[in-house]
């Protein structure tokens, strides 16, 4: 309540805007990460003298050189926001001082492409307090960032903002698009103790509120046999659980004899680029895998519940290029019928359908836009 009151009474107008300052936040105080972290790194590379402030719940969290940390939702953070020329965030700001006319807010929303309906499109199912926060945040947003036309249209229609969507791409995909994938796969296999010739099946499910180890049973032995029969080679199954389910990794590995746990491996993108085949459920990993050009399958026993859930889904979910299966047996059967040429065609058709704009340089492009705006230069907002 104190912070809510501060939103309206904090004397923002008492403080001058520092034309050289950018305040960056991710998910209401997370450590240096996400789209904002990648953009901040690009900003420092392009303009080393910028004053880049990262707002974190734990101000002792490490940040790169050229970035300073201030405690999120502190009085000091209010002053930083009140005096910054630019704000960058990837989630709705809950508390913030009145934005001035000359300040610029970039909302670089997390995610690549929404499947479940969000924001205004799901307003009837969202908490009233969150809706109020979302509307206020949207009304203060000047720019959003998207990697495809479909996502841009969702932002334009459902985010309560009248600004411009910059179709520069998605920073979280930059390290996948155009990467030297063979070199990354070689190094990742070395770290995991795998031979270069070993083929990799990567299973990366999302978080579930209720954990049941049976939901993670891949029928590993039968799966490996089918992979060898259909695609050749010797296969290793890598399993990466959601960080919030990491304590269950031993149980899941016991259910899948011979599988290797990689939940604590620090680089998810490297694991995707190392994989010869990726299986997930509703995780955004599917889009990382899509842009890494890896054959991808969805294994989701609760697929129908997800699609028919209370928030609803966008029709695009029915046009994904991935084979959807609901049981391990169906997954194995689908692998047996898998056609690389057919998948390549479906993948490209999907990218055309969504109006793909990913370039692998979105963080740099956005950073250049920010710097130009800070200097008052005319820039292309297309």
């Amino acid at each position: 309540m104190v912070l809510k009151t501060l939103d309206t009474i904090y004397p923002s107008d008492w403080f001058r805007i520092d034309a050289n300052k950018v305040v960056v936040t991710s998910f209401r105080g997370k450590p240096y990460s996400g789209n904002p972290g990648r953009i901040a790194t690009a900003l420092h590379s392009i303009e080393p003298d910028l004053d880049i402030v990262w707002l974190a719940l734990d101000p002792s969290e490490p940040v790169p050189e050229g970035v300073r940390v201030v405690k999120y939702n502190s009085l000091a953070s209010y002053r930083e926001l009140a005096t910054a020329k630019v704000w960058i965030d990837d989630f709705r700001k809950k508390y913030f001082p009145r934005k001035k006319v000359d300040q610029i807010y970039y909302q670089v929303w997390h995610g690549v492409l929404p499947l479940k309906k969000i924001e205004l499109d799901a307003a009837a199912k969202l908490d009233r307090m969150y809706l109020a926060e979302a509307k206020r945040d949207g009304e203060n947003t000047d720019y959003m960032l998207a990697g495809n036309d479909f996502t841009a249209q969702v932002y334009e229609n459902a985010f309560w903002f009248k600004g411009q969507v910059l179709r520069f791409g998605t920073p979280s995909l930059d390290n996948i698009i155009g990467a030297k994938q063979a070199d990354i796969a070689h190094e990742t296999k070395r770290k995991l103790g795998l031979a270069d010739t070993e083929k990799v099946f990567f299973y990366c499910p999302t978080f579930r509120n209720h954990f049941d180890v049976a939901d993670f049973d891949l029928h590993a032995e039968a799966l490996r046999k089918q992979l060898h029969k259909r695609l050749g080679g010797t296969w290793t199954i890598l399993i990466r659980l959601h960080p919030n389910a990491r304590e269950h990794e031993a149980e899941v590995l016991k259910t899948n004899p011979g599988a290797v746990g990689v939940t604590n491996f620090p680089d998810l993108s490297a694991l995707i680029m190392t994989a010869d085949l990726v299986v997930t459920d509703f995780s955004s990993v599917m889009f990382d895998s899509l842009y890494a050009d890896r054959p991808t399958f969805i294994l989701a026993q609760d697929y129908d519940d997800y699609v028919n859930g209370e928030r609803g889904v966008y029709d695009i979910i029915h046009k994904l290029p991935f084979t959807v299966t609901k049981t391990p047996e169906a997954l194995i059967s689908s692998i047996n019928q898998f056609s690389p040429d057919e998948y390549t065609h479906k993948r490209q058709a999907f990218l055309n359908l969504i109006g793909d704009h990913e370039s692998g340089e979105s963080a740099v492009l956005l950073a250049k836009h920010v710097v130009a705006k800070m200097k008052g230069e005319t820039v292309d907002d297309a």
Side-chain angles (χ1 to χ4, degrees):
M1 181 59 71
V2 172
L3 286 169
K4 185 65 177 176
T5 302
L6 273 175
D7 287 359
T8 55
I9 69 170
Y10 189 82
S12 300
D13 294 335
W14 291 7
F15 304 102
R16 279 187 175 182
I17 294 174
D18 181 345
N20 198 50
K21 183 190 292 186
V22 181
V23 174
V24 193
T25 320
S26 178
F27 273 94
R28 297 181 175 178
K30 281 183 65 176
Y32 196 88
S33 58
N35 289 337
R38 293 177 176 90
I39 294 165
T41 297
L43 279 169
H44 178 66
S45 176
I46 292 169
E47 200 75 13
D49 293 332
L50 282 179
D51 181 14
I52 302 174
V53 181
W54 185 271
L55 302 183
L57 287 169
D58 181 358
S60 68
E61 287 285 351
V63 292
E65 182 181 354
V67 179
R68 59 187 178 91
V69 186
V70 171
K71 186 172 177 59
Y72 177 77
N73 272 357
S74 63
L75 277 173
S77 75
Y78 265 66
R79 179 157 186 163
E80 299 291 356
L81 287 165
T83 56
K85 177 64 176 178
V86 170
W87 301 348
I88 299 174
D89 206 331
D90 64 354
F91 195 68
R92 295 304 195 184
K93 287 186 178 299
K94 190 175 181 68
Y95 305 116
F96 57 96
R98 288 188 303 276
K99 178 171 166 281
K100 301 169 189 171
V101 173
D102 292 333
Q103 292 182 306
I104 307 169
Y105 180 17
Y106 291 82
Q107 172 55 258
V108 293
W109 192 255
H110 55 283
V112 176
L113 183 149
L115 297 179
K116 274 194 171 183
K117 290 185 177 180
I118 55 176
E119 305 302 272
L120 181 60
D121 291 338
K125 303 298 182 181
L126 297 177
D127 177 78
R128 286 179 60 190
M129 182 175 292
Y130 175 80
L131 280 175
E133 295 163 1
K135 289 177 182 178
R136 182 174 180 237
D137 183 88
E139 289 165 357
N140 280 278
T141 299
D142 297 291
Y143 294 100
M144 293 194 72
L145 181 64
N148 60 78
D149 292 337
F150 174 84
T151 299
Q153 289 165 8
V154 171
Y155 293 163
E156 289 167 350
N157 296 333
F159 273 65
W160 294 284
F161 97 113
K162 298 178 181 179
Q164 179 78 31
V165 179
L166 303 173
R167 290 164 167 81
F168 292 162
T170 311
S172 62
L173 293 175
D174 286 352
N175 61 338
I176 290 178
I177 298 170
K180 295 180 179 179
Q181 296 195 21
D183 293 344
I184 293 170
H186 171 78
E187 180 61 17
T188 304
K189 285 181 177 179
R190 185 191 66 78
K191 291 177 180 178
L192 295 173
L194 302 177
D196 266 346
T197 55
E198 190 81 4
K199 291 185 177 294
V200 172
F201 175 101
F202 181 42
Y203 177 48
C204 188
T206 192
F207 180 69
R208 291 287 188 275
N209 289 325
H210 172 70
F211 177 82
D212 184 343
V213 72
D215 292 338
F216 300 87
D217 185 354
L218 297 171
H219 296 187
E221 185 175 350
L223 175 61
R224 273 190 293 266
K225 287 180 179 178
Q226 190 59 54
L227 287 166
H228 172 73
K229 178 181 178 181
R230 180 69 184 87
L231 301 171
T234 303
W235 287 77
T236 291
I237 298 172
L238 301 183
I239 298 178
R240 181 186 181 91
L241 302 181
H242 189 280
N244 291 342
R246 70 174 72 247
E247 69 270 20
H248 298 295
E249 187 181 71
E251 297 172 67
V252 173
L253 294 179
K254 186 176 180 180
T255 302
N256 295 282
V260 177
V262 290
T263 302
N264 292 321
F265 193 85
D267 192 340
L268 173 58
S269 296
L271 291 171
I272 291 169
M273 288 184 278
T274 300
D276 295 279
L277 192 149
V278 175
V279 174
T280 184
D281 40 26
F282 309 113
S283 169
S284 61
V285 164
M286 72 174 73
F287 296 116
D288 294 349
S289 182
L290 175 79
Y291 281 97
D293 198 7
R294 292 298 187 269
T296 306
F297 293 77
I298 293 177
L299 172 61
Q301 297 182 47
D302 54 350
Y303 179 81
D304 292 334
D305 292 338
Y306 183 87
V307 171
N308 299 316
E310 62 175 15
R311 266 171 51 191
V313 295
Y314 293 109
D315 187 60
I316 198 74
I317 196 171
H318 303 297
K319 300 173 184 177
L320 293 170
F322 318 123
T323 299
V324 176
T325 63
K326 301 174 185 177
T327 66
E329 294 86 357
L331 173 64
I332 292 171
S333 176
S334 294
I335 290 171
N336 185 49
Q337 300 170 33
F338 177 70
S339 166
D341 289 342
E342 182 181 351
Y343 175 73
T344 297
H345 174 76
K346 290 169 64 177
R347 174 183 178 274
Q348 189 56 54
F350 181 76
L351 292 174
N352 293 341
L353 175 67
I354 64 174
D356 176 45
H357 290 281
E358 297 292 351
S359 66
E361 298 180 345
S362 61
V364 171
L365 292 172
L366 195 284
K368 288 180 177 179
H369 191 279
V370 170
V371 171
K373 282 291 183 181
M374 293 178 78
K375 293 180 178 180
E377 298 173 357
T378 301
V379 293
D380 182 8
D381 289 342

